[in-house]
């Protein structure tokens, strides 16, 4: 699962901090590092090291997105201008289809601020059937330099093209959005 979860109504939650020993070290979380979901306002995520060691060389990446703000997570500060406020986000996407370091999902996730974070070495393959979602992902890739291949392809088609290529396939909030869930489960 996710290493740290802030759910509906977890307003003004501090995850980490700017002091010498305040930040969290998150290594190899199956899904993600910090997940803020639902109507949570004013979360502050600072000084955390997600997916790597002190030197920044170890690959202890998350399975999917390292920091995810979703479905109403608003007025969140990720990083900051004070010394020690930036988060180190490395090696995201070690086992999933959502492979970015930081993501915001949902039109009602608004007024979030991202300052002085170090995001690097996200890997993997991102697929979607929506042109708009892939367009946003490609823009993010250009800005971040993430080593992610994004494709407009159905999971069933990808499974036929690359049988046995993936050790782990994860589907986050996917099955309720497709016309034939059983087909996707069978293909994966």
């Amino acid at each position: 699962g996710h290493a740290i979860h802030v759910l509906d109504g977890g307003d003004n939650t501090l995850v980490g901090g700017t002091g010498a020993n305040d930040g969290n070290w998150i290594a190899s979380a199956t899904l993600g590092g910090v997940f803020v979901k639902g109507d949570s306002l004013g979360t502050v995520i600072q000084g955390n090291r997600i997916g790597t060691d002190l030197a920044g060389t170890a690959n202890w990446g998350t399975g999917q997105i390292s920091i995810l703000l979703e479905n109403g997570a608003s007025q969140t500060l990720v990083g900051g201008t004070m010394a020690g406020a930036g988060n180190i986000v490395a090696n995201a996407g070690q086992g999933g289809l959502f492979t970015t370091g930081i993501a915001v999902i949902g039109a009602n996730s608004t007024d979030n601020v991202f300052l002085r974070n170090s995001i690097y070495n996200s890997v993997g393959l991102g697929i979607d059937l929506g042109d708009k979602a892939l367009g946003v992902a490609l823009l993010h890739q250009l800005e971040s330099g993430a080593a992610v291949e994004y494709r407009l392809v159905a999971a069933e088609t990808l499974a036929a093209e690359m049988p046995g290529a993936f050790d782990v396939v994860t589907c986050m909030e996917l099955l309720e959005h497709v016309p034939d869930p059983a087909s996707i489960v069978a293909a994966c």
Side-chain angles (χ1 to χ4, degrees):
H2 299 284
I4 298 173
H5 240 132
V6 178
L7 294 175
D8 300 314
D11 294 348
N12 303 310
T13 299
L14 174 62
V15 179
T18 59
N21 297 310
D22 290 344
N24 298 287
W25 285 51
I26 300 172
S28 303
T30 306
L31 292 177
V34 180
F35 183 38
V36 183
K37 182 175 183 177
D39 294 326
S40 297
L41 302 174
T43 301
V44 175
I45 303 169
Q46 294 181 325
N48 299 290
R49 181 173 297 276
I50 304 171
T52 193
D53 60 358
L54 184 60
T57 57
N59 183 344
W60 298 336
T62 57
Q64 296 191 16
I65 300 168
S66 291
I67 299 176
L68 174 61
L69 311 179
E70 184 176 27
N71 296 334
S74 298
Q75 301 172 16
T76 301
L77 173 60
V78 180
T81 58
M82 294 176 49
N87 298 283
I88 306 295
V89 179
N91 306 306
Q94 300 298 308
L97 297 176
F98 299 97
T99 58
T100 189
I102 297 176
V104 179
I105 299 174
N108 58 343
S109 294
T110 61
D111 301 317
N112 297 299
V113 178
F114 304 88
L115 298 169
R116 297 188 181 171
N117 298 289
S118 176
I119 306 166
Y120 62 92
N121 204 33
S122 295
V123 297
L125 171 65
I127 68 170
D128 203 303
L129 291 176
D131 287 338
K132 288 182 182 178
L134 281 178
V136 171
L138 289 169
L139 285 174
H140 170 73
Q141 180 184 34
L142 289 173
E143 292 172 356
S144 69
V148 179
E149 176 188 357
Y150 293 106
R151 292 186 52 198
L152 181 67
V153 64
E156 297 90 337
T157 304
L158 186 65
E161 287 176 12
M162 304 172 69
F166 303 100
D167 293 328
V168 177
V169 177
T170 59
C171 298
M172 288 180 48
E173 299 184 24
L174 169 74
L175 296 178
E176 68 268 23
H177 300 286
V178 296
D180 187 4
S183 175
I184 292 203
V185 171
C188 295

